[in-house]
Amino acid sequence: MAVSYKKLILNGIFSENPVFRLALSLCPAVAVTTSVRNGFLMGIAVLCVMTMVNITVSILRNLINPKVRIPAYILIIATYVSITDMVMSAYSRAAYKEMGLYIQLIVVFAIIISRAELFASKNKVLPSAVDGFGMGLGFLGALVLVGAVRELIGKGSIAGIHLTGGNPLLIMVLPTGGFFVIGLLMGLFNWIDQKYYGGRPGGVGGGHH
Amino acid sequence: MDTEKNPQEAGLFRASVGPHISSGESVPHIMWTVSAALMPAAGLSVYYFGLRALLILVVSMVSSVAFEALTQKLTGAKITAGDGSALLTGLLLGMNLPASVPFYLPIIGSAVAIIITKQLFGGLGYNIFNPALIGRAFLMASFPRFMTTWLVPHGSLSLARPDAVTGATPLGILKEEGYDKLLSHFAGRHDMYVQLLLGHRGGAMGETGVIALLFGAAYLLYKGYITWHIPVTFIATVAVLTAVFGGDPWLAILSGGLVLGAFFMATDYVTVPQLKKAQVAFGLGCGIITVLIRLEGGYPEGVCYAILLMNCFTPLLDRAFKAKKFGEAPVK
């Protein structure tokens, strides 16, 4: 069966966007997206980890005993997260100090293990890599978007560039603001989906981590 | 005798579904009455804080009703913005603000209260949290500087934003400088109680006029629109706990937003339990959280957050105190 890589990528970004459609990994999506930069760095970290984890799981999919597959996946994920953690602490010191804890928490992000379990363990290496990359792109895009909205309203700037004067809505850079922004954006995307693409409401499954 | 005609069509009797007896009350009637009951306190705040207070109340009410109509129009729902509930939310939000805030604050606050807290959850009857209090909490987190710049009552007719005549609230002074310092602002303990009752102090517009609030609350109690269960347990819990921890119980009742919150916001039909026992538990919880925040928390006042936190427990409380059905086996 021929796999359409374009469709896999688009699937990760739009129809199964981790944050806005699957409602997975909302915890980091709320916690680190106080600015575009933080959202971008977290998104890049997840993108790299997801792609590598999917590739590794796919290669090993016939060797891992199904009974112990979850611990095996966690070990694989932990390996790549440790690498990412060390690389970030070495080359991006300031950002790492701000969000170091969340980088280590990538180990338990629901979106990563769910793609390993649902996709990589059943598919060949190349489609798995593309799926991980597409999902990672979707996650990255969502985090940058949420970060941009929160930074704009909460600090009056985008990616550190000051835009507006006056008194920004401080609440938007607090965790509460993260819930507001993600909820409202999710509603907006559901509305667009229903109005223009005839979709059903998404994000009803409940989020994990 | 005309046997062809249906007796009902002939007007001999009228068949309809129950309930058959109504009290003549309706949502708009109750909402307008509650708003009217707040008028003495609103009037007093205008007397103390000047025309600017009136303008902020009006901006808050108008924007609340406008946001309600706008959201209902956009979502294609039936437009019920005139039923008084949005107006009441706007009025309560306005009364929760200091008179010195810029005019865009009540507008942002009503947008959060009406659009996010009320309409996105399904409109009147479906919101989990008290809209006016969420609006206030949102503004408090966003604009802490504006929201804690209290005016000293001055009765100015000027609409300009006053910047010099600011003073702390009694609870703020109590928290920062202690009881004796607070007492030194007055001519004695008795004078302090009288001044607090009359509302001659810094604070949010609606919370200062305790005596006017009590008038309005008495009227609502008399009409049966609110019952004593939540307000009395709430206030009594705060007074008793404050006394237990060595505070002044009368000061605890008369200062801050306790009277406004207990009678007018912890009695909102939508967001508090319906069963009497559950209401007592609700009031108790509100009182405990309020005292906890006042004594141990970072803010001098905790009524707003206490009510919001207890709002979360409303469905749980209603289930916990559900009456046993006739014939139902008792649950262990």
Side-chain angles (χ1 to χ4, degrees), chain A residues 83-155:
Chain A
I83 297 171
T84 314
D85 188 57
M86 290 172 193
V87 170
M88 277 197 83
S89 79
Y91 293 104
S92 185
R93 203 67 202 150
Y96 182 76
K97 270 188 184 154
E98 230 174 284
M99 43 192 277
L101 179 69
Y102 290 100
I103 297 294
Q104 288 157 18
L105 269 178
I106 296 177
V107 178
V108 289
F109 279 10
I111 183 63
I112 296 177
I113 194 151
S114 76
R115 287 332 277 187
E117 163 80 7
L118 291 173
F119 199 94
S121 66
K122 297 169 191 157
N123 288 286
K124 289 189 177 144
V125 176
L126 202 53
S128 297
V130 175
D131 177 74
F133 186 72
M135 282 284 159
L137 272 187
F139 192 73
L140 172 70
L143 259 62
V144 169
L145 183 61
V146 175
V149 174
R150 286 177 71 182
E151 193 183 333
L152 179 67
I153 309 179
K155 293 182 196 158

Side-chain angles (χ1 to χ4, degrees), chain B residues 7 13 29 38 73 77 109 144 149 191 223 251 269 307 312 328:
Chain B
F13 68 88
H29 187 228
L38 280 165
K73 190 166 171 56
T149 303
D191 178 54
K223 291 285 280 183
L251 174 68
Y269 292 139
I307 298 174
C312 308
E328 194 178 42

Side-chain angles (χ1 to χ4, degrees), chain A residues 167-171 174 180 184, chain B residues 104 116 120 138 141-144 146:
Chain A
N167 298 283
L169 279 175
L170 266 186
I171 196 170
L174 302 175
F180 275 129
L184 290 174
Chain B
Y104 61 85
I116 294 180
L120 287 189
F138 188 95
S142 295
F143 306 100
F146 289 139

Side-chain angles (χ1 to χ4, degrees), chain B residues 147-206:
Chain B
M147 291 295 287
T148 50
T149 303
W150 311 104
L151 277 192
V152 171
H154 59 291
S156 154
L157 290 180
S158 155
L159 291 176
R161 258 185 79 204
D163 42 19
V165 279
T166 56
T169 63
L171 283 176
I173 299 172
L174 185 68
K175 186 138 206 156
E176 301 298 324
E177 303 170 72
Y179 187 73
D180 294 330
K181 178 78 184 171
L182 176 63
L183 207 54
S184 71
H185 286 268
F186 301 96
R189 201 173 266 220
H190 183 72
D191 178 54
M192 177 171 77
Y193 295 149
V194 172
Q195 294 293 333
L196 288 177
L197 195 65
L198 294 176
H200 205 78
R201 63 169 173 97
M205 286 187 275

